[in-house]
Amino acid sequence: MTAHRAVQLRWDIRSVAVHDLGNDPVIMTYPGIRITRHESGHVVSEVWLPVGERSTYTDDEALIAALHSAWRWTRTTRQ
């Protein structure tokens, strides 16, 4: 059986509900990239990486590593 593997990259905004010091609800949003792995049409994993306007070297390296890993995953030996 051959499994079809695909990777999807998507700009994504994550929202988190927190309370401030006065216990008032606050919604914080974070931009990022979602990397979704699909196998035979089913989602098998998702990774979300934050992307800011002032990304660091470490942020860039994490994104490159995640993209490389996802690409290699699509190229694994098929049975």
Side-chain angles (χ1 to χ4, degrees):
M1 173 185 252
T2 300
H4 176 72
R5 290 182 169 188
V7 173
Q8 177 185 32
L9 303 177
R10 184 174 184 165
W11 181 255
D12 195 23
I13 303 293
R14 292 258 170 125
S15 297
V16 177
V18 297
H19 288 89
D20 65 12
L21 295 176
N23 207 28
D24 294 318
V26 176
I27 303 295
M28 301 178 72
T29 58
Y30 300 93
I33 294 175
R34 182 177 8 152
I35 301 172
T36 306
R37 296 179 187 199
H38 300 267
E39 188 165 9
S40 299
H42 301 282
V43 174
V44 294
S45 71
E46 286 188 332
V47 174
W48 184 82
L49 297 165
V51 177
E53 290 184 25
R54 296 183 184 172
S55 63
T56 65
Y57 177 80
T58 302
D59 295 335
D60 293 344
E61 288 299 309
L63 178 57
I64 291 167
L67 294 172
H68 185 257
S69 174
W71 177 78
R72 288 185 52 84
W73 177 78
T74 65
R75 310 305 297 167
T76 57
T77 304
R78 296 186 174 136
Q79 301 175 356

